[in-house]
Amino acid sequence: MKQDNAMQHNLLINGKLVAGEGEKVPVYNPATGEVILEIAEATAAQVDAAVEAADRAFDAWSQTTPKTRAECLLKLADAISAQAETLAQLESLNCGKPPHRVINDVLPAIAAAFRFFPGAR
């Protein structure tokens, strides 16, 4: 199993990255069949905690100004573009798509979506 990759595999619950406490599931490189890593699934309790945290966060997030939300989305788009090489390698390992196709096709479209929605009405 490949352990030297940058693939983040924790769960984001209530603003914290935590390890899944459920069954471990292998993630395969479809091009080679190699197990990239094993990811622990969320338990029912962890899913409940994530949903509850999202419900609580919605109250504050829904009151932010459009300008603040736009700034957050644009910052995310910039981070995707800045990390294109790393994201392309991870996507290639995970999905089998050649890295140059991810960099030239997939990531620009993802970043563009995050750049589009701040101005959409």
Side-chain angles (χ1 to χ4, degrees), residues 8-77:
Q8 194 289 112
H9 57 274
N10 288 316
L11 309 169
L12 181 61
I13 300 176
N14 201 25
K16 296 180 182 137
L17 291 173
V18 298
E21 297 173 354
E23 178 183 349
K24 286 193 173 188
V25 178
V27 176
Y28 295 95
N29 178 327
T32 66
E34 174 189 13
V35 175
I36 301 169
L37 74 152
E38 291 183 336
I39 297 177
E41 293 183 333
T43 62
Q46 287 179 306
V47 172
D48 290 343
V51 170
E52 290 168 10
D55 282 343
R56 287 189 308 273
F58 178 77
D59 291 335
W61 177 253
S62 67
Q63 299 304 309
T64 60
T65 65
K67 179 180 186 252
T68 299
R69 283 181 269 167
E71 289 169 348
C72 290
L73 292 172
L74 293 170
K75 187 175 178 181
L76 180 55

Side-chain angles (χ1 to χ4, degrees), residues 75-114:
K75 187 175 178 181
L76 180 55
D78 290 345
I80 290 167
S81 296
Q83 295 296 319
E85 281 291 327
T86 299
L87 293 170
Q89 292 302 318
L90 292 172
E91 182 69 357
S92 180
L93 283 173
N94 188 45
C95 296
K97 189 169 205 148
H100 72 279
R101 301 300 333 156
V102 178
I103 287 174
N104 293 323
D105 299 337
V106 177
L107 293 175
I110 293 169
F114 285 106

